[in-house]
Amino acid sequence: MNGNLQKKQVFVPISCATCGNEWENSWHLFIYCPMAKACWEELGTWNKMLSLSNEADGFVQWLFKLFQTLDVSTLENIAMVLWGIWRTRNEKLWNKMVKPAEIVVSSALQLLMDWRANGSRNIGVGMVLRDSDGVFISAKTNVFVGRVGIKDAEAMAFKEALSWVEGMNVQDVIF
Ligand SMILES: [Zn+2]
């Protein structure tokens, strides 16, 4: 019976790779995980993000609310730190390396400054796949090099998300 159930279970939720406490989903990993919270406090955006998370129905809606409320340079910082949190999570998972929040934020912002100084505008794309219960399945980030506008970047991100999902052979995806 037990073995049978295990065989039928397609997806087994794991605890957060970064803090080990809660089920890992994007909501936890990028907002409420102590690591994420420490990063947002370091960046000075935590209070705003927390109040928006109370109004949001899920991670994607929360992101949309950020986009509607915050200015472009703050959003750029946030995008870099989101990416930093994701990278930190992977480093913890694969190399057992734990970086303090100050380092995550400062290296993310440094990278952003380098890109601005180089005069090029690289586009970072992040995507998160969740099942119908909002449980985290997988995530992916990508950086495009080149100067493109916001609309083009959105299109590239969407195209990237489409081909990513296509490659995973899942159906009924809501973007
Ligand atoms: Zn966590």
Side-chain angles (χ1 to χ4, degrees):
M1 177 71 179
N2 218 344
N4 218 2
L5 272 177
Q6 270 180 349
K7 253 185 252 168
K8 278 182 188 157
Q9 196 163 19
V10 178
F11 172 69
V12 183
I14 52 162
S15 57
C16 174
T18 310
C19 71
N21 280 334
E22 311 219 8
W23 293 133
E24 186 180 76
N25 55 47
S26 44
W27 186 255
H28 169 83
L29 182 66
F30 294 112
I31 309 176
Y32 288 108
C33 181
M35 167 52 126
K37 181 172 184 265
C39 286
W40 302 129
E41 278 175 340
E42 180 74 18
L43 192 62
T45 54
W46 171 246
N47 288 335
K48 184 75 197 163
M49 290 174 134
L50 181 66
S51 73
L52 289 176
S53 80
N54 291 331
E55 298 166 22
D57 227 3
F59 179 72
V60 175
Q61 217 186 73
W62 175 72
L63 277 185
F64 276 120
K65 283 187 185 292
L66 292 181
F67 277 104
Q68 284 163 357
T69 325
L70 300 170
D71 62 89
V72 173
S73 79
T74 309
L75 285 172
E76 278 183 338
N77 291 344
I78 288 172
M80 290 306 294
V81 174
L82 280 172
W83 179 60
I85 291 171
W86 178 243
R87 223 173 37 161
T88 303
R89 176 247 185 218
N90 289 338
E91 280 168 8
K92 174 80 193 299
L93 199 62
W94 298 325
N95 309 325
K96 305 271 175 274
M97 256 179 55
V98 190
K99 267 191 289 184
E102 307 90 74
I103 305 293
V104 176
V105 172
S106 65
S107 54
L109 295 184
Q110 183 59 51
L111 200 56
L112 187 60
M113 276 195 288
D114 289 348
W115 283 346
R116 281 178 183 150
N118 286 336
S120 65
R121 232 180 144 75
N122 294 268
I123 305 298
V125 176
M127 44 205 119
V128 176
L129 188 65
R130 296 175 303 158
D131 69 11
S132 54
D133 297 321
V135 176
F136 177 83
I137 297 174
S138 182
K140 181 186 174 176
T141 55
N142 225 342
V143 175
F144 299 106
V145 183
R147 186 179 278 276
V148 291
I150 299 290
K151 284 279 162 246
D152 290 339
E154 269 179 14
M156 284 163 83
F158 192 66
K159 187 185 146 288
E160 194 71 7
L162 278 175
S163 57
W164 178 51
V165 168
E166 205 172 60
M168 290 179 68
N169 202 18
V170 286
Q171 284 164 354
D172 296 334
V173 178
I174 304 164
F175 289 96

